[in-house]
Amino acid sequence: MPLSISARFLANCYQGRDSGGVPERYPSADRLYKALVSTAYTTFQFKKQRVHSAEGLDDADIELALRWLEGNPPDAVYLPPAISDSEGESANVTVYRDKGYIDSTKGKKRSKVASANAAVSVYYDDAGRPLTWQWKDIPPSEALAALVALCAEVPYLGEACSKVRLSVSVEEQFPLVGALLRDESDGFETLRAHGLVFAYPGCGRLEDLDDGYARNNFAPGKPVREREDEQNLLQSSPMNSTVGIATYLRPKHDLKALVPWPRGILIPVTPDAMERMSDEWNPPESEYVGWAVALHRFLVKEWGIDPPAALIGKYQKDAGMPQPANNIAIHLLTERIKAKYADVLPDMIVDYLPALLLMLPEHMPDDEVIELYETCKRSAGRSLYFSRNSQRVRLGEPIRIDTARFWNPPATGTVRFWFPSPMSIAETRAIPDPAGRRHWGSREALYLSLGHVWRDHFLSDDRASKYEERMWSFVDRVRRDESLRFRVLDARTVHRPNMIDYIHRAHMSNVVRGLSALIAIGSDVCDLNQAVLAIGQSRHLGGGFLLPVDLPANCLGTNDCDGQEVPIWLT
């Protein structure tokens, strides 16, 4: 039976810095421990009480709970989606704080007040699961009762503005869906694990904090030498000798990783008024890829030296690390989409349309995300054009969005399907069946495109030696997968004049074919109904963007072949 401690921030905002003064995205287990120690001393009079407190706790119970946390890092951590207020840049807000002593210079006695830059705030999604630490085993009953009482009295984590409500549970599943698991390796192997690193309290942490507090707090009435004593307080006693480091990794085939592009950057655009062509931005579908390529080249140039691999799509070859399935994808949200899909888009998104959408892959590091956001921010007000015959647009101020919740959930009594806009481009030629029993059609090509987006989720079939065998085996695994439950309905080929306009590059052996279908993604454990998705050969540059189709339940019937619900005109 696991122990879970959840932190729900009352203002959906966390603000804090690590021991090096760097703003944190998430509080660590060590910060949780220090908050519990502070509550033990201030609220429960730890090491000062003579009798049981009003909650029935004594020093032995509190110490037992704190000792249980020492040297015992959480086995799993669930991290909610987070968006920083001003990531990658120094905060431009100045705050003033009372330093806690009297300044008597120039013959006047007054409280000493100093200015400082405000820390960066991180906003968490208030509709989802809160930040949660999990341990596989629960502590003894006395320690568990003490943890419940301590957590209930913790007012905030990090800075005082980060009001929090901590709760303890022994009824949650382990691990939570989407949680990161602690890496069991030690030493340099932990550093090579490429996971998220968090501090946790090591053995003797309580004594270390007690000693640091005693050395950094002065007796009443003792004179304070500002520069000297302030430096001693912040630097001479960092109290890090008993801090452990734990690395947390996403489990293999974790369901949270099934969201291919969990984060995004929305760049509003406005037609250039100097050209006097149109007040609305509605480029034809044949120009979608061209506009996406134009923005891609613009961002690579603005980035400068050494752009990230997720942006340029070129990765260092490593036998032990396969190339990720997805790169940064760029798509257009035009006035037509705004008018047609306003009911299924959040108001916050609609207010910024028309816009260009950058879809950031799950594997993209935070520092690269921050730098890309800064690149977009520096580009605000600049002009972007696709061709001499197209109207230029001006780029607006970018905003960070959670693309895992890009669309509104389906209305009650409806079922969500998808279709690719303007079309999905087939990624290979038609593959002959080595057994000669099946024909490679539009449905197989779309299953292959879906599988390529979630390629990291599907195991490779090393037993198949021939290319044709591997392709058919891969399509069969995508079709039969129970965690995603893809269904491709009414698959067909799409023909347009100048099909070359709908691709950026293609292999010389691949005949350019446009595909369309009604697609159902029926995963119950990983909700993709609100995620922004794209499929096909041009999914990274303007093509294959999946738009929702919400059908009333009374328009669905049961398919005689597989027993699944499909539109009644397809039964």
Side-chain angles (χ1 to χ4, degrees), residues 30 33-34 37 41 46-47 63-72 200-213 215 238-244:
D30 184 59
Y33 180 85
K34 289 188 285 188
V37 171
Y41 277 101
F46 182 49
K47 295 186 178 180
E63 185 165 359
L64 181 63
L66 297 177
R67 296 299 184 190
W68 185 83
L69 292 171
E70 291 184 357
N72 185 20
Y200 69 90
C203 296
R205 185 63 170 153
L206 181 60
E207 288 79 9
D208 195 16
L209 294 176
D210 286 343
D211 180 63
Y213 180 85
R215 284 185 284 123
M239 297 174 284
N240 290 332
S241 60
T242 54
V243 175

Short mmCIF file of all heavy atoms in Angstrom, two decimals, residues 30 33-34 37 41 46-47 63-72 200-213 215 238-244:
data_model
loop_
_atom_site.label_atom_id
_atom_site.label_comp_id
_atom_site.label_asym_id
_atom_site.label_seq_id
_atom_site.Cartn_x
_atom_site.Cartn_y
_atom_site.Cartn_z
N ASP A 30 13.20 17.54 -0.79
CA ASP A 30 13.92 18.22 0.29
C ASP A 30 13.20 19.50 0.70
O ASP A 30 13.16 19.84 1.89
CB ASP A 30 15.35 18.54 -0.17
CG ASP A 30 16.19 19.16 0.94
OD1 ASP A 30 16.35 18.49 1.99
OD2 ASP A 30 16.67 20.29 0.77
N TYR A 33 10.46 18.43 2.89
CA TYR A 33 10.98 18.07 4.22
C TYR A 33 11.24 19.32 5.06
O TYR A 33 10.87 19.37 6.25
CB TYR A 33 12.26 17.26 4.05
CG TYR A 33 12.90 16.82 5.35
CD1 TYR A 33 12.48 15.67 6.00
CD2 TYR A 33 13.92 17.56 5.93
CE1 TYR A 33 13.07 15.26 7.18
CE2 TYR A 33 14.51 17.17 7.11
CZ TYR A 33 14.08 16.01 7.74
OH TYR A 33 14.67 15.61 8.93
N LYS A 34 11.84 20.34 4.47
CA LYS A 34 12.13 21.56 5.23
C LYS A 34 10.84 22.26 5.65
O LYS A 34 10.78 22.85 6.73
CB LYS A 34 13.02 22.49 4.39
CG LYS A 34 14.44 21.96 4.24
CD LYS A 34 15.37 22.96 3.57
CE LYS A 34 15.15 23.04 2.10
NZ LYS A 34 16.17 23.86 1.41
N VAL A 37 9.68 20.37 8.69
CA VAL A 37 10.50 20.69 9.86
C VAL A 37 10.09 22.06 10.42
O VAL A 37 9.96 22.23 11.64
CB VAL A 37 12.00 20.67 9.50
CG1 VAL A 37 12.85 21.22 10.64
CG2 VAL A 37 12.45 19.25 9.17
N TYR A 41 8.46 22.85 14.27
CA TYR A 41 8.98 23.77 15.29
C TYR A 41 8.01 24.90 15.60
O TYR A 41 7.85 25.29 16.76
CB TYR A 41 10.32 24.35 14.83
CG TYR A 41 11.50 23.44 15.10
CD1 TYR A 41 12.06 22.67 14.09
CD2 TYR A 41 12.06 23.37 16.37
CE1 TYR A 41 13.14 21.84 14.34
CE2 TYR A 41 13.15 22.55 16.64
CZ TYR A 41 13.68 21.79 15.60
OH TYR A 41 14.74 20.96 15.87
N PHE A 46 8.07 21.61 18.46
CA PHE A 46 8.97 20.46 18.46
C PHE A 46 10.20 20.75 19.32
O PHE A 46 10.80 21.81 19.23
CB PHE A 46 9.36 20.14 17.02
CG PHE A 46 10.26 18.94 16.87
CD1 PHE A 46 9.97 17.73 17.48
CD2 PHE A 46 11.40 19.02 16.09
CE1 PHE A 46 10.78 16.63 17.32
CE2 PHE A 46 12.23 17.92 15.92
CZ PHE A 46 11.92 16.73 16.54
N LYS A 47 10.55 19.80 20.19
CA LYS A 47 11.67 19.87 21.13
C LYS A 47 11.48 20.94 22.20
O LYS A 47 12.43 21.29 22.91
CB LYS A 47 12.99 20.11 20.39
CG LYS A 47 13.39 18.96 19.48
CD LYS A 47 14.77 19.18 18.88
CE LYS A 47 15.18 18.00 18.00
NZ LYS A 47 16.50 18.19 17.40
N GLU A 63 9.55 13.19 15.41
CA GLU A 63 10.90 12.79 15.00
C GLU A 63 10.87 11.48 14.22
O GLU A 63 11.62 11.31 13.26
CB GLU A 63 11.81 12.66 16.21
CG GLU A 63 13.25 12.37 15.83
CD GLU A 63 14.22 12.59 16.96
OE1 GLU A 63 13.78 12.98 18.06
OE2 GLU A 63 15.43 12.36 16.75
N LEU A 64 9.99 10.56 14.61
CA LEU A 64 9.87 9.31 13.87
C LEU A 64 9.46 9.56 12.43
O LEU A 64 9.98 8.94 11.49
CB LEU A 64 8.85 8.40 14.56
CG LEU A 64 8.62 7.02 13.93
CD1 LEU A 64 9.90 6.19 13.97
CD2 LEU A 64 7.49 6.29 14.64
N ALA A 65 8.52 10.50 12.22
CA ALA A 65 8.08 10.82 10.86
C ALA A 65 9.20 11.47 10.05
O ALA A 65 9.42 11.13 8.88
CB ALA A 65 6.86 11.74 10.92
N LEU A 66 9.92 12.41 10.67
CA LEU A 66 11.00 13.08 9.95
C LEU A 66 12.13 12.14 9.64
O LEU A 66 12.73 12.19 8.55
CB LEU A 66 11.49 14.28 10.76
CG LEU A 66 10.46 15.40 11.00
CD1 LEU A 66 11.05 16.49 11.89
CD2 LEU A 66 9.99 16.00 9.68
N ARG A 67 12.46 11.23 10.59
CA ARG A 67 13.53 10.27 10.34
C ARG A 67 13.16 9.30 9.22
O ARG A 67 14.02 8.83 8.49
CB ARG A 67 13.84 9.49 11.62
CG ARG A 67 14.37 10.33 12.76
CD ARG A 67 15.69 11.00 12.40
NE ARG A 67 16.23 11.74 13.55
CZ ARG A 67 17.26 12.56 13.47
NH1 ARG A 67 17.87 12.77 12.31
NH2 ARG A 67 17.69 13.20 14.55
N TRP A 68 11.85 8.99 9.11
CA TRP A 68 11.44 8.06 8.06
C TRP A 68 11.66 8.67 6.68
O TRP A 68 11.98 7.96 5.71
CB TRP A 68 9.95 7.73 8.24
CG TRP A 68 9.45 6.70 7.28
CD1 TRP A 68 9.55 5.34 7.39
CD2 TRP A 68 8.78 6.95 6.03
NE1 TRP A 68 8.97 4.73 6.30
CE2 TRP A 68 8.50 5.69 5.45
CE3 TRP A 68 8.39 8.10 5.36
CZ2 TRP A 68 7.84 5.56 4.23
CZ3 TRP A 68 7.75 7.98 4.14
CH2 TRP A 68 7.47 6.72 3.59
N LEU A 69 11.54 9.98 6.56
CA LEU A 69 11.76 10.65 5.28
C LEU A 69 13.23 10.77 4.93
O LEU A 69 13.58 10.86 3.74
CB LEU A 69 11.12 12.04 5.30
CG LEU A 69 9.59 12.10 5.35
CD1 LEU A 69 9.13 13.53 5.58
CD2 LEU A 69 8.98 11.54 4.07
N GLU A 70 14.11 10.77 5.94
CA GLU A 70 15.54 10.93 5.68
C GLU A 70 16.10 9.69 5.00
O GLU A 70 15.84 8.56 5.42
CB GLU A 70 16.29 11.20 6.98
CG GLU A 70 15.98 12.56 7.59
CD GLU A 70 16.82 12.83 8.84
OE1 GLU A 70 17.59 11.93 9.23
OE2 GLU A 70 16.71 13.92 9.41
N GLY A 71 16.87 9.91 3.95
CA GLY A 71 17.46 8.81 3.21
C GLY A 71 16.45 7.94 2.49
O GLY A 71 16.77 6.81 2.10
N ASN A 72 15.24 8.45 2.33
CA ASN A 72 14.17 7.68 1.71
C ASN A 72 13.51 8.53 0.62
O ASN A 72 12.42 9.08 0.82
CB ASN A 72 13.15 7.26 2.78
CG ASN A 72 12.06 6.36 2.23
OD1 ASN A 72 12.23 5.74 1.18
ND2 ASN A 72 10.95 6.29 2.93
N TYR A 200 16.62 15.36 -2.20
CA TYR A 200 15.81 14.74 -1.13
C TYR A 200 16.62 14.77 0.16
O TYR A 200 17.86 14.86 0.14
CB TYR A 200 15.41 13.31 -1.51
CG TYR A 200 16.56 12.31 -1.53
CD1 TYR A 200 16.91 11.59 -0.39
CD2 TYR A 200 17.28 12.08 -2.69
CE1 TYR A 200 17.95 10.68 -0.41
CE2 TYR A 200 18.32 11.17 -2.73
CZ TYR A 200 18.65 10.47 -1.57
OH TYR A 200 19.69 9.56 -1.59
N PRO A 201 15.98 14.70 1.33
CA PRO A 201 16.71 14.77 2.60
C PRO A 201 17.49 13.49 2.87
O PRO A 201 16.93 12.38 2.84
CB PRO A 201 15.59 14.98 3.64
CG PRO A 201 14.38 14.38 3.00
CD PRO A 201 14.51 14.63 1.53
N GLY A 202 18.77 13.63 3.11
CA GLY A 202 19.59 12.48 3.47
C GLY A 202 19.61 12.25 4.96
O GLY A 202 18.99 13.00 5.75
N CYS A 203 20.30 11.22 5.39
CA CYS A 203 20.40 10.90 6.81
C CYS A 203 21.11 12.04 7.54
O CYS A 203 22.12 12.57 7.06
CB CYS A 203 21.15 9.59 7.01
SG CYS A 203 20.30 8.16 6.32
N GLY A 204 20.59 12.44 8.69
CA GLY A 204 21.17 13.53 9.45
C GLY A 204 20.72 14.90 8.99
O GLY A 204 21.27 15.92 9.42
N ARG A 205 19.70 14.95 8.14
CA ARG A 205 19.24 16.23 7.63
C ARG A 205 18.67 17.11 8.73
O ARG A 205 18.87 18.34 8.72
CB ARG A 205 18.17 15.99 6.55
CG ARG A 205 17.69 17.25 5.84
CD ARG A 205 18.80 17.90 5.08
NE ARG A 205 18.35 18.96 4.20
CZ ARG A 205 19.13 19.99 3.84
NH1 ARG A 205 20.37 20.09 4.29
NH2 ARG A 205 18.67 20.91 3.02
N LEU A 206 18.00 16.53 9.70
CA LEU A 206 17.40 17.31 10.78
C LEU A 206 18.47 18.03 11.58
O LEU A 206 18.34 19.23 11.89
CB LEU A 206 16.56 16.40 11.68
CG LEU A 206 15.84 17.08 12.84
CD1 LEU A 206 14.87 18.15 12.32
CD2 LEU A 206 15.08 16.05 13.68
N GLU A 207 19.54 17.34 11.93
CA GLU A 207 20.63 17.98 12.68
C GLU A 207 21.30 19.08 11.85
O GLU A 207 21.70 20.12 12.39
CB GLU A 207 21.67 16.94 13.11
CG GLU A 207 21.22 16.01 14.22
CD GLU A 207 20.31 14.90 13.72
OE1 GLU A 207 20.18 14.78 12.48
OE2 GLU A 207 19.74 14.18 14.55
N ASP A 208 21.45 18.83 10.56
CA ASP A 208 22.07 19.82 9.70
C ASP A 208 21.24 21.11 9.65
O ASP A 208 21.78 22.22 9.73
CB ASP A 208 22.21 19.24 8.29
CG ASP A 208 23.16 20.05 7.42
OD1 ASP A 208 23.91 20.86 7.96
OD2 ASP A 208 23.14 19.87 6.18
N LEU A 209 19.92 20.96 9.55
CA LEU A 209 19.06 22.14 9.53
C LEU A 209 19.06 22.85 10.89
O LEU A 209 19.05 24.09 10.96
CB LEU A 209 17.64 21.75 9.14
CG LEU A 209 17.45 21.22 7.71
CD1 LEU A 209 16.00 20.78 7.49
CD2 LEU A 209 17.83 22.27 6.68
N ASP A 210 19.05 22.07 11.98
CA ASP A 210 19.10 22.66 13.31
C ASP A 210 20.37 23.48 13.50
O ASP A 210 20.35 24.61 14.02
CB ASP A 210 19.02 21.57 14.38
CG ASP A 210 17.63 21.00 14.50
OD1 ASP A 210 16.69 21.63 14.00
OD2 ASP A 210 17.48 19.90 15.08
N ASP A 211 21.49 22.90 13.09
CA ASP A 211 22.78 23.59 13.26
C ASP A 211 22.83 24.85 12.40
O ASP A 211 23.31 25.90 12.85
CB ASP A 211 23.90 22.64 12.88
CG ASP A 211 25.28 23.26 13.04
OD1 ASP A 211 25.64 23.61 14.19
OD2 ASP A 211 25.99 23.43 12.03
N GLY A 212 22.35 24.77 11.15
CA GLY A 212 22.35 25.94 10.29
C GLY A 212 21.46 27.04 10.83
O GLY A 212 21.81 28.22 10.75
N TYR A 213 20.33 26.66 11.40
CA TYR A 213 19.43 27.66 11.97
C TYR A 213 20.09 28.36 13.15
O TYR A 213 20.00 29.59 13.30
CB TYR A 213 18.13 26.99 12.41
CG TYR A 213 17.13 27.94 13.02
CD1 TYR A 213 16.25 28.66 12.21
CD2 TYR A 213 17.06 28.13 14.40
CE1 TYR A 213 15.34 29.55 12.75
CE2 TYR A 213 16.15 29.01 14.96
CZ TYR A 213 15.29 29.71 14.13
OH TYR A 213 14.39 30.58 14.69
N ARG A 215 23.26 28.81 13.74
CA ARG A 215 24.38 29.65 13.34
C ARG A 215 23.95 30.89 12.56
O ARG A 215 24.67 31.87 12.50
CB ARG A 215 25.37 28.84 12.49
CG ARG A 215 26.22 27.89 13.33
CD ARG A 215 27.29 27.19 12.50
NE ARG A 215 26.72 26.12 11.68
CZ ARG A 215 26.83 26.05 10.37
NH1 ARG A 215 27.45 27.02 9.71
NH2 ARG A 215 26.31 25.05 9.69
N PRO A 238 25.29 26.77 3.66
CA PRO A 238 24.29 26.32 2.69
C PRO A 238 23.51 25.11 3.15
O PRO A 238 22.44 24.83 2.62
CB PRO A 238 25.14 25.99 1.45
CG PRO A 238 26.50 25.69 1.99
CD PRO A 238 26.68 26.58 3.19
N MET A 239 24.01 24.36 4.12
CA MET A 239 23.31 23.21 4.68
C MET A 239 22.98 22.18 3.61
O MET A 239 21.87 21.65 3.53
CB MET A 239 22.04 23.65 5.41
CG MET A 239 22.29 24.55 6.60
SD MET A 239 20.77 25.19 7.34
CE MET A 239 20.32 26.44 6.15
N ASN A 240 23.97 21.89 2.76
CA ASN A 240 23.75 20.94 1.68
C ASN A 240 24.49 19.63 1.88
O ASN A 240 24.42 18.75 1.01
CB ASN A 240 24.21 21.56 0.34
CG ASN A 240 23.29 22.67 -0.12
OD1 ASN A 240 22.10 22.68 0.20
ND2 ASN A 240 23.84 23.61 -0.86
N SER A 241 25.19 19.48 3.00
CA SER A 241 25.99 18.28 3.20
C SER A 241 25.15 17.03 3.37
O SER A 241 25.62 15.92 3.16
CB SER A 241 26.91 18.46 4.41
OG SER A 241 26.14 18.69 5.58
N THR A 242 23.89 17.19 3.76
CA THR A 242 23.02 16.02 3.97
C THR A 242 21.91 15.96 2.94
O THR A 242 20.86 15.36 3.18
CB THR A 242 22.42 16.07 5.38
OG1 THR A 242 21.77 17.34 5.57
CG2 THR A 242 23.48 15.89 6.44
N VAL A 243 22.14 16.56 1.78
CA VAL A 243 21.15 16.52 0.71
C VAL A 243 21.52 15.42 -0.27
O VAL A 243 22.66 15.35 -0.73
CB VAL A 243 21.06 17.87 -0.02
CG1 VAL A 243 20.12 17.78 -1.22
CG2 VAL A 243 20.57 18.95 0.93
N GLY A 244 20.58 14.55 -0.57
CA GLY A 244 20.78 13.52 -1.58
C GLY A 244 20.18 13.94 -2.91
O GLY A 244 19.38 14.86 -2.99
#
